[in-house]
Amino acid sequence: MFSKSKIHEPGNKAGTETDKHAGSAPPPPPRPASSEFAPSTSPRVKPSPSVLSSDLTVTGNLKTSGDIQIEGVVEGDIRAHLLTVGESATIKGEIIADDVVVNGRVVGRVRGLKVRLTSTARVEGDIIHKTIAIESGAHFEGSVQRQDDPLQTGQGTPKLAPPRAEAAAAPGAPETK
C-alpha cells in the first residue's frame, strides 16, 4: 500500500523519506508557535477592569495601565487607562486617565482625553480635557480647559514660574527703600 502511494506521487519517490521527516517536523512547530503566540495573545485580550467595591476605602494613590471601576472611597490620586467612578463612589484627589466617566463624586482635578460627566456626577475641581461631555443634571464647580494633550502634567509648571520670579523681585524692592 505504501508503494502505491509512492506510485501516485511520482515526483516524491525520492523525497518520501524526507516527507516523512517533514511530516513530523510541521507538528512540532505549531506547538511552539501556539505557545509563543499564547503570551502575545494574552495581552491583546483586554482584561476585565479592577473593581473597588462600595464598602472599600483606599487611602493612597492608584496607578495602572488598565481599567478601574470605583464604587467606594479613594483619597489619593488615580492614574488609569479608563476610570469609571460609580454613583456611590467618592474620589478626593487628582484623576489622570485616557477616558474618565464620572457617575459619582470627585473632589479634585480631572485630566483626560475623553471626560464624561453623567447626570448623577458631582465634580468639584478643574477639568482639563481633549473632549468633554456633560449630561443634563450633572453638578460641576470649577473650570474647564481644553488641551491637545491633557495628560501631560508638565504644562502647569511654566505658569508657576512667573509668580516665583515676582516673589523674588518683591523682597528686592523693600531692600531698595
Side-chain angles (χ1 to χ4, degrees):
M1 295 172 110
F2 291 114
S3 61
K4 288 184 179 181
S5 65
K6 290 179 186 179
I7 295 171
H8 291 294
E9 298 176 9
N12 292 334
K13 283 184 182 179
T16 53
E17 293 178 29
T18 327
D19 289 340
K20 289 179 185 176
H21 295 295
S24 62
R31 280 184 254 158
S34 64
S35 64
E36 289 176 16
F37 289 116
S40 63
T41 54
S42 296
R44 290 179 191 165
V45 175
K46 189 174 182 180
S48 59
S50 299
V51 179
L52 302 180
S53 66
S54 59
D55 63 340
L56 184 64
T57 299
V58 175
T59 303
N61 299 335
L62 301 175
K63 184 177 179 181
T64 181
S65 59
D67 302 347
I68 302 178
Q69 179 179 341
I70 297 177
E71 299 295 335
V73 177
V74 175
E75 294 181 8
D77 299 341
I78 301 172
R79 288 180 177 256
H81 171 68
L82 167 64
L83 174 67
T84 304
V85 181
E87 286 189 37
S88 63
T90 299
I91 297 175
K92 295 180 181 179
E94 183 175 26
I95 294 172
I96 301 173
D98 292 338
D99 295 328
V100 181
V101 178
V102 180
N103 300 307
R105 183 170 185 232
V106 175
V107 179
R109 180 180 293 158
V110 177
R111 292 180 169 271
L113 295 174
K114 294 193 306 187
V115 177
R116 179 175 160 218
L117 306 183
T118 65
S119 61
T120 59
R122 296 178 314 266
V123 177
E124 300 172 28
D126 299 337
I127 298 176
I128 301 169
H129 65 90
K130 188 169 184 179
T131 61
I132 189 166
I134 302 176
E135 293 181 4
S136 179
H139 175 79
F140 171 63
E141 290 184 34
S143 67
V144 178
Q145 182 180 1
R146 188 198 178 282
Q147 290 183 358
D148 287 331
D149 188 10
L151 304 180
Q152 192 176 39
T153 58
Q155 293 178 351
T157 309
K159 293 179 184 176
L160 297 177
R164 290 179 185 167
E166 291 174 7
E175 291 176 11
T176 56
K177 288 184 179 175

